[in-house]
Amino acid sequence: MGRLMGTSHARLRSHNRMGVVIPHNKATAELETVVMPLPDKIVLPMQQHIGAQCAPLVKRRDHVDAGQLVGHAEARTTADIFSPVSGSVTEIRSLYYSNGRTDVAIVIEPDGEQTVAETVAPPVVTDYASLVEAVKGSGIVGLGGAGYPTGLKMDADLSAVDCWLVNGAECEPYLSSDYREMMEHPDDILAGIGTCLDLSGVPRALICIEDNKPKAIELLRTMAADDARIGVLELPARYPQGASRVILKNAMGRAVKRGGHLTDVGAILFNVTTMSEISKYLKTGMPLIKRRITVMGDAIENPMNLEVLIGTPTGEILEFCGLSRKPAKVIAGGPMMGITQIDMDYPVVRQQSGLLAFSEDLCGRHETTACIHCDKCIGSCPMRLSPISIQKAYRKADVAELDRLMADLCVGCGICSYVCPAKQPLTQSVGLASRLLKAEQRKARGRG
Ligand code: SF4
Ligand code: SF4
């Protein structure tokens, strides 16, 4: 793949063709971020990450400050939750999501003062162990959508890791939140990478960006030119370029075994905004309490990239951006991997990159017809799975067959449903199959 060190690798370009070409619809890309005023209320779910749900540390009528720890779990895999505002706790309530998941949320009424918690102070970081501890206390999770606790991801043996991948692919249509981070905060991204490389001993980093973002590629190449350890890799704009196994293969030509981790093959992967947030946290000590989302769709009057406090209700965001027509579907996240919002009181969570509102014209219901055995779902799956076979095995609850078909490797990208002419609910079926198989695997290991 060419030389990897020094500026000579700045023109490095991947030619791997995994994934499919889909319309980008990134009309908000060149719109500078708008900061949304304080919402009327904050709804703060306790499960905004992969891992153990946090328990509320506050109760009704308590006063909280901005940046105050309000949710915590005594578990290794979790990420603390912090209040984005100063104000009063008005309620602890239940949430029921459209995908069947439930959660508990702290509801806070802002007092408008935004007084900052006394605990907020830049962390003291002197070595890699203290960097990991600092990030664990920052509330930062994978901000590209994964939601895996970032401090925990860093708390691994990196001695065999030779490249820190930084994911700026942002392959989902409509979303331009990461692109704006690259255009507006390239210095924070590069400072975060520099700190991680300096303290971890990982020798180099590759910022991976799809070729539909030439300005970001040019900007980061120019700004990183003085650091021979950091390169910018141009990847073809093919969905799902940003999926971890896909980007690993396309950027480094490496593959992870089933059940393995990227570190097994010498890589660690962060989303570009995650890297930037680490840098901001090290400077200010303010934990993750806000993020940028792309608000778009044919029902949105003023599409934009919007900085919102985590916990801002969907309805208040739609009101701020305006609706040009009645939305038939509101999606938290992108159109391929996001989840439908059924309650406009439900808030932005920290791993959410977008909020989309579509009219009936764009998301009218489609009739499902019988499979015509065209094999398009198989040919398009980036994980080389057979979605239709997995769907059949799932309907028979045939766990042995799901294991043989490796349903657990599904990354939920949505391509199989997108390409299916029969409109079979393949993504949903494979997602459920994957969950079932993983539960059985956990049981077999005696953890379930
Ligand atoms: S089976 Fe999973 S990974 Fe494959 S196309 Fe469907 S959603 Fe994507
Ligand atoms: S894409 Fe749809 S119609 Fe074609 S084989 Fe897969 S499930 Fe059947």
Side-chain angles (χ1 to χ4, degrees), residues 128 131-132 135 140-144 146 148-156 158 163-169 178 189 192-193 195-197 205-208 242 244 247 262-263 267-279:
Y128 189 66
L131 175 65
V132 170
V135 176
I140 297 173
V141 299
L143 298 176
Y148 191 80
T150 303
L152 190 59
K153 187 184 257 193
M154 295 172 79
D155 194 2
L158 302 188
C163 187
W164 206 303
L165 293 172
V166 182
N167 184 354
D178 284 341
I189 295 166
I193 294 171
T195 303
C196 287
L197 295 187
L206 264 185
I207 307 171
C208 304
S244 63
I247 208 165
L262 264 63
T263 48
I268 180 168
L269 173 68
F270 276 13
N271 165 269
V272 76
T273 302
T274 306
M275 189 57 98
S276 188
E277 287 301 328
I278 289 174
S279 173

Side-chain angles (χ1 to χ4, degrees), residues 370-378 388 416 419-422 424 426:
C371 170
I372 56 169
H373 307 289
C374 67
D375 284 358
K376 279 188 178 171
C377 57
I378 301 168
I388 183 62
C416 46
V419 298
C420 176
Q424 290 283 326
L426 297 168

Side-chain angles (χ1 to χ4, degrees), residues 381-383 385 387 410-416 427 430:
C381 174
M383 302 310 296
L385 302 176
C410 172
V411 295
C413 70
I415 288 180
C416 46
T427 305
V430 181

Side-chain angles (χ1 to χ4, degrees), residues 325-338:
R325 55 209 297 202
K326 190 174 176 330
K329 189 177 264 191
V330 176
I331 299 171
M336 302 297 283
M337 297 185 72

Side-chain angles (χ1 to χ4, degrees), residues 33-76:
T33 306
V34 173
V35 178
M36 185 173 163
L38 271 185
D40 290 342
K41 70 175 167 187
I42 289 288
V43 180
L44 207 52
M46 293 291 101
Q47 180 80 66
Q48 300 184 48
H49 49 270
I50 290 174
Q53 182 187 42
C54 290
L57 300 177
V58 290
K59 57 185 186 321
R60 198 166 161 253
R61 294 203 183 91
D62 280 358
H63 174 84
V64 292
D65 288 316
Q68 180 180 329
L69 177 67
V70 292
H72 176 73
E74 291 298 330
R76 179 173 148 79

